[in-house]
């Protein structure tokens, strides 16, 4: 099959740009959306050529299977602009590949990689002016696929929509994050869909997270569904724990999202001479480390959250504060990754992709 190029993608431009109404100095996360979106339909057994159209609502049949059986997956990525107005993506092929890992698990037809990547590049060309340049802001990119095909039969749909929307965004969390270690509810289970970026994984987290929020925590730290003894990940990020001078994170599994930020941090840490250990971490070990003073830092890592320091955790009714250090691995690694993403430093890893 011939590879799709940018020129194959039809672009219909909006006549009513919202750009001048956006306050780029006060951006929340994912609240305002750029003028255009990429839309690609799956029908008659194949993905059709993607198009770029003005950002607009979508009409769906009430029997569309997304509403009933939740066939829905998504990705999260960001675009950055440097001082010369050059645009960069961060490891975009990792997202392209992961979307299809999720697609396979949810019985959604895989999107040809060039449809996604060429489509994304074409969309970013059109939306260049929407990429913020102020510190801490970027253009958040949300590719997603859902079942638009009709019918109440509990089986995969015969039609799908793949859409990419973008949202100029500021920080996901404002300030430090306090987390609750969850022992009753589970985010995912062995053999389940935890490793996929499936919409339902997030829906299932909302109720336990609401309960945690009511107690003053911003996120839940999920533990394994069998014993609830081991730390897995947070609601929207992978988790790192620094005990003395070693940075620990759980291995990924079919219950945990294989985070792109997580694997970048592991490589960066190694390059910075920080000792890492990818192994299961028991909640009891974390509690013990907090009590004896060897717990130095904890942080979450993800595209939206970047690196978000965790100020403390709750467990079985007790609160454990993590005292603030002066020079943290979190800030060192955050600076390194942001400088690479925004073209402020060399990129020895080849992660940055110029538009
Ligand atoms: N874990 C979950 C559940 C997430 O939603 C995310 C966010 O994408 C991550 C981890 C971090 O993944 P990434 O670094 O690829 O964004
Ligand atoms: C991301 O970091 O891109 C995510 O997908 C997290 C999201 C749930 C906001």
């Amino acid at each position: 099959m011939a590879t799709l190029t940018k020129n194959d993608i039809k672009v219909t431009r909006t006549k009513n740009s919202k750009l001048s109404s956006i306050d780029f100095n006060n951006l929340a996360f994912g609240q305002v959306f750029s003028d255009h979106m990429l839309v690609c339909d799956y029908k008659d057994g194949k993905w059709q050529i993607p198009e770029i159209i003005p950002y607009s609502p979508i009409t769906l049949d009430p029997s569309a299977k997304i509403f009933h059986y939740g066939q829905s997956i998504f990705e999260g990525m960001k675009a950055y602009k440097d001082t010369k107005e050059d645009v960069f993506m961060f490891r975009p092929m990792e997202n392209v590949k992961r979307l299809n890992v999720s697609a396979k698990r949810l019985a959604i037809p895989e999107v040809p990689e060039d449809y996604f990547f060429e489509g994304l590049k074409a969309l970013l060309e059109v939306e260049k002016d929407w990429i913020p340049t102020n510190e801490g802001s970027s253009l958040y990119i949300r590719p997603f696929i859902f079942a638009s095909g009709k019918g109440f039969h509990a089986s995969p749909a015969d039609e799908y929509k793949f859409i990419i929307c973008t949202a100029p965004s500021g920080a996901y969390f404002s300030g430090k994050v306090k987390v609750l270690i969850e022992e009753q509810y589970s985010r995912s289970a062995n053999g389940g869909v935890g490793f996929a970026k499936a919409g339902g994984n997030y829906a299932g987290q909302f109720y336990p997270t609401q309960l945690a929020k009511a107690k003053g925590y911003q996120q839940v730290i999920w533990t394994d569904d069998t014993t609830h003894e081991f730390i897995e990940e947070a609601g929207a990020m992978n988790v790192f724990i620094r005990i003395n001078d070693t940075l620990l994170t759980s291995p990924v599994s079919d219950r945990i999202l294989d985070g792109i930020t997580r694997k970048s941090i592991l490589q960066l840490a190694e390059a910075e001479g920080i000792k890492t250990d990818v192994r299961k971490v028991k909640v009891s070990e974390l509690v013990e480390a907090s009590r004896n003073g060897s717990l130095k830092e904890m942080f979450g890592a993800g595209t939206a959250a970047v690196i978000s320091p965790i100020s403390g955790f709750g467990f079985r009714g007790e609160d454990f504060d993590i005292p603030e250090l002066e020079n943290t691995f979190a800030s060192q690694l955050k600076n390194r990754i942001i400088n690479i993403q925004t073209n402020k430093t060399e990129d020895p890893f080849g992660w940055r992709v110029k538009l």
Side-chain angles (χ1 to χ4, degrees):
M1 200 171 65
T3 315
L4 187 88
T5 67
K6 233 170 39 187
N7 297 337
D8 298 318
I9 299 170
K10 185 177 161 204
V11 178
T12 308
R13 287 185 179 262
T14 181
K15 293 190 177 67
N16 302 302
S17 173
K18 302 180 298 260
L19 191 58
S20 62
S21 69
I22 307 299
D23 179 0
F24 278 84
N25 293 317
N26 286 298
L27 290 169
F29 176 83
Q31 289 296 320
V32 291
F33 307 97
S34 67
D35 281 331
H36 300 90
M37 60 188 194
L38 181 99
V39 180
C40 181
D41 287 320
Y42 180 90
K43 59 180 179 193
D44 304 326
K46 64 178 199 314
W47 286 103
Q48 310 294 311
I49 304 292
E51 272 189 48
I52 292 171
I53 60 170
Y55 186 91
S56 53
I58 309 159
T59 304
L60 287 175
D61 193 275
S63 78
K65 294 200 181 194
I66 170 62
F67 297 135
H68 308 275
Y69 307 119
Q71 257 188 308
S72 144
I73 54 172
F74 71 97
E75 268 306 320
M77 49 207 304
K78 282 176 173 173
Y80 313 86
K81 200 152 61 176
D82 71 3
T83 46
K84 289 189 303 200
E85 301 273 301
D86 284 330
V87 174
F88 297 92
M89 293 166 276
F90 184 70
R91 310 187 76 174
M93 290 315 289
E94 296 284 333
N95 297 92
V96 174
K97 291 190 188 310
R98 194 172 62 187
L99 184 75
N100 280 335
V101 168
S102 302
K104 188 170 176 199
R105 181 61 182 83
L106 275 283
I108 291 172
E110 292 174 36
V111 180
E113 291 188 352
D114 54 333
Y115 282 33
F116 184 160
F117 194 47
E118 295 304 318
L120 173 62
K121 286 193 288 185
L123 181 66
L124 290 178
E125 291 281 357
V126 174
E127 302 298 59
K128 251 182 175 166
D129 293 344
W130 283 86
I131 305 175
T133 48
N134 11 11
E135 210 182 302
S137 297
S138 57
L139 188 70
Y140 185 74
I141 303 166
R142 176 51 63 84
F144 59 106
I145 307 179
F146 61 90
S148 51
K150 297 184 237 177
F152 290 148
H153 197 279
S155 53
D158 57 358
E159 293 188 0
Y160 296 84
K161 270 189 188 296
F162 168 46
I163 297 180
I164 309 181
C165 295
T166 75
S169 293
Y172 190 73
F173 293 110
S174 48
K176 284 201 170 191
V177 185
K178 210 173 137 196
V179 297
L180 180 67
I181 297 181
E182 179 61 60
E183 286 191 288
Q184 183 187 352
Y185 298 99
S186 299
R187 174 187 175 274
S188 58
N190 293 323
V193 299
F195 66 95
K197 252 178 115 63
N201 284 340
Y202 297 81
Q205 300 188 89
F206 290 164
Y207 176 63
T209 306
Q210 275 176 345
L211 298 179
K213 282 193 171 151
K215 293 182 192 156
Y217 304 96
Q218 283 84 49
Q219 285 262 296
V220 165
I221 298 277
W222 299 102
T223 51
D224 69 289
D225 65 300
T226 316
T227 66
H228 293 293
E229 277 183 46
F230 295 95
I231 289 164
E232 302 236 293
E233 63 175 325
M237 27 185 213
N238 296 109
V239 172
F240 284 82
I241 296 162
R242 172 178 171 188
I243 294 186
N244 291 321
D245 280 334
T246 303
L247 200 52
L248 307 172
T249 193
S250 164
V252 290
S253 69
D254 62 357
R255 301 182 306 272
I256 298 179
L257 192 80
D258 186 3
I260 297 159
T261 318
R262 173 188 173 280
K263 55 185 157 200
S264 307
I265 287 173
L266 286 171
Q267 269 185 268
L268 272 174
E270 203 172 299
E272 295 279 292
I274 295 171
K275 195 166 162 236
T276 61
D277 198 356
V278 178
R279 64 160 171 87
K280 292 172 147 199
V281 182
K282 276 195 170 179
V283 180
S284 58
E285 184 182 349
L286 181 72
V287 168
E288 175 58 24
S290 175
R291 291 201 202 284
N292 69 24
S294 58
L295 174 64
K296 305 292 182 197
E297 287 180 62
M298 224 173 137
F299 58 87
T303 299
V306 196
I307 289 181
S308 292
I310 292 171
S311 60
F313 64 92
F315 181 60
R316 295 191 179 163
E318 201 177 335
D319 270 333
F320 297 82
D321 287 332
I322 305 173
E324 220 170 302
L325 287 184
E326 201 133 283
N327 297 310
T328 59
F329 287 170
S331 61
Q332 182 182 349
L333 294 166
K334 185 175 173 179
N335 286 340
R336 286 286 287 127
I337 201 165
I338 289 180
N339 286 342
I340 291 175
Q341 288 166 334
T342 54
N343 196 30
K344 288 203 182 90
T345 51
E346 289 293 296
D347 171 19
F349 307 96
W351 290 336
R352 197 163 56 214
V353 175
K354 192 171 169 194
L355 182 64

